Every structure is written in structure tokens, then in C-alpha cells.
Amino acid sequence: MALTGVQKTVLVCVASIALVVGAVVNKVMRPAPLDRTALQQAGIYLFDTPRPIPDISLESAAAQPWGRDDLNGQWDLLFFGYTFCPDICPTTLAELRQLTQKLPEDTRNQLQVTLISVDPNRDTPEQLATYLDFFNAGFAGATGDSEQLAALAKALSVAYIEPDTSSENYLVDHSGQVIIVDPSGRYVGFIRPPLDTDKLAQWLPRIISAE
């Protein structure tokens, strides 16, 4: 049955209204773009383009092989430090524990915190596991030989100085940023210290949901 001119006009109007309503609903439902200035005020710096992470071979705190594939499938926060560190490492890990406790459960379940030890001479898998158990937060750990650690640190723009291990109580100089890795195993940004756990708890769920 042929449509009359009025019917055609009505159909065109209805279709136009549907398109407008759909566009408005989509705009309302779509998350607002992340405010880079606000993120930086919270200590979070995201790259415009994610950066690849090289394939490395480390050993986990569970004495299992640990590499790039372990960064796939969840969001990761990586912190380079060591268990004999007297100040920045226990402080940062305690702050990360506070942060995870403040996150919504669904966000927390998508996030893994891992300590990458730059002191493989003393941080055996057993030592790492004992140290991380102290925080009771499900943190993972990994370490390896100096060449593998250096390759990973360089890719993630993390600085540390290999220590003189001839002294029993030597210290390891290292930077304190926390590396952000997305579920595809890509380096997407970092969090500078000191960690503001309240602000981070507000922004991390948005970063994760925006993926």
C-alpha cells in the first residue's frame, strides 16, 4: 500500500526524532573523557599511546616463571623496590594496600599489585613471599638476573643503581613511581609518589572502566 505524503512526512519526522534521542542517550551514557589535568593533580600520568613491554624472564615469589604474559588479562600496578629497603618500599606498599582497600570490589578484582625486586642477591622467592605476606593484600612479587631486570626497568622508564653487594647492609637506589599496565600488557602510564590514596581511589575505577 502506497504511503500518502502526510504519512511519509510523519515517518521522516519519527525517524529524525529517534536519531536525535539516540544521540542524546549515547552522549549521556558515554563516560566523560578523563581530565588529564585532574589526573595529574592526583599524581596520575597517562600516555597518549600505550607503550609495549618487552618479553622478559623473571621468577615469581611463588618460585614460578614470571614474564610479560603474567601482565595480560588484568590491570597491573608495578613497583620496583626490594624487601630490605628501609623507607620508601614499605611506605609505598602500605599505601598501595590502603588504596586497594578503598577501591570498589569490582575494580579491586581487576587489579594486581606486583613488587619487582631490584635486589635479586637477597630477595629470593621465599624472602619475597614472606615480605609480601606481611601486607596481607594479595600482592605478587618477581625478580631475576640483572640483565632481565634492566631490560624491564628501561622499558618502563624506571631508574635504579645496581649496588655494591660486598657490604652486608647495602642499599639500592631506585625511583619510586608506580607503573600502570593495562589488560593487554601495555605500559599506559605511571603514578608519581607520594601516593594520594583518596584521589587514586576516585580515579582508578574510571581509568579501568574507560578501557
Side-chain angles (χ1 to χ4, degrees):
M1 181 177 63
L3 297 176
T4 66
V6 173
Q7 289 173 323
K8 290 180 180 179
T9 301
V10 170
L11 285 176
V12 170
C13 291
V14 169
S16 300
I17 292 172
L19 287 173
V20 172
V21 170
V24 171
V25 170
N26 182 61
K27 183 176 181 180
V28 171
M29 296 298 291
R30 186 173 63 244
L34 295 172
D35 185 332
R36 295 303 178 99
T37 300
L39 283 173
Q40 291 177 11
Q41 290 173 349
I44 302 171
Y45 294 79
L46 297 180
F47 305 135
D48 292 331
T49 303
R51 304 177 184 181
I53 295 177
D55 191 12
I56 41 86
S57 179
L58 301 179
E59 186 176 19
S60 75
Q64 298 295 320
W66 189 95
R68 185 177 59 192
D69 288 347
D70 290 277
L71 300 174
N72 292 330
Q74 73 285 318
W75 286 83
D76 291 271
L77 297 180
L78 307 181
F79 175 67
F80 285 67
Y82 63 112
T83 68
F84 290 84
C85 179
D87 40 40
I88 185 173
C89 298
T91 298
T92 300
L93 289 171
E95 291 172 340
L96 288 170
R97 180 177 182 271
Q98 293 173 9
L99 170 60
T100 57
Q101 291 175 334
K102 293 177 180 179
L103 292 172
E105 184 177 2
D106 61 335
T107 301
R108 189 165 58 247
N109 290 340
Q110 298 179 65
L111 189 66
Q112 175 65 60
V113 175
T114 300
L115 170 65
I116 306 295
S117 173
V118 292
D119 184 18
N121 183 58
R122 292 179 295 189
D123 284 343
T124 62
E126 182 180 6
Q127 170 65 19
L128 271 173
T130 300
Y131 181 77
L132 293 169
D133 282 347
F134 172 78
F135 295 94
N136 191 31
F139 293 165
T143 192
D145 65 45
S146 58
E147 183 179 345
Q148 294 291 307
L149 287 170
L152 180 60
K154 180 179 179 180
L156 301 177
S157 304
V158 172
Y160 73 95
I161 300 175
E162 291 194 32
D164 176 4
T165 59
S166 61
S167 173
E168 181 180 357
N169 297 314
Y170 61 84
L171 300 177
V172 183
D173 291 327
H174 62 92
S175 54
Q177 73 266 37
V178 175
I179 304 302
I180 306 173
V181 179
D182 71 8
S184 297
R186 302 174 302 176
Y187 175 28
V188 296
F190 63 92
I191 305 169
R192 60 167 171 73
L195 306 187
D196 188 327
T197 58
D198 287 332
K199 289 183 179 178
L200 292 174
Q202 294 175 6
W203 282 107
L204 280 179
R206 292 190 57 187
I207 293 171
I208 289 175
S209 64
E211 173 67 13

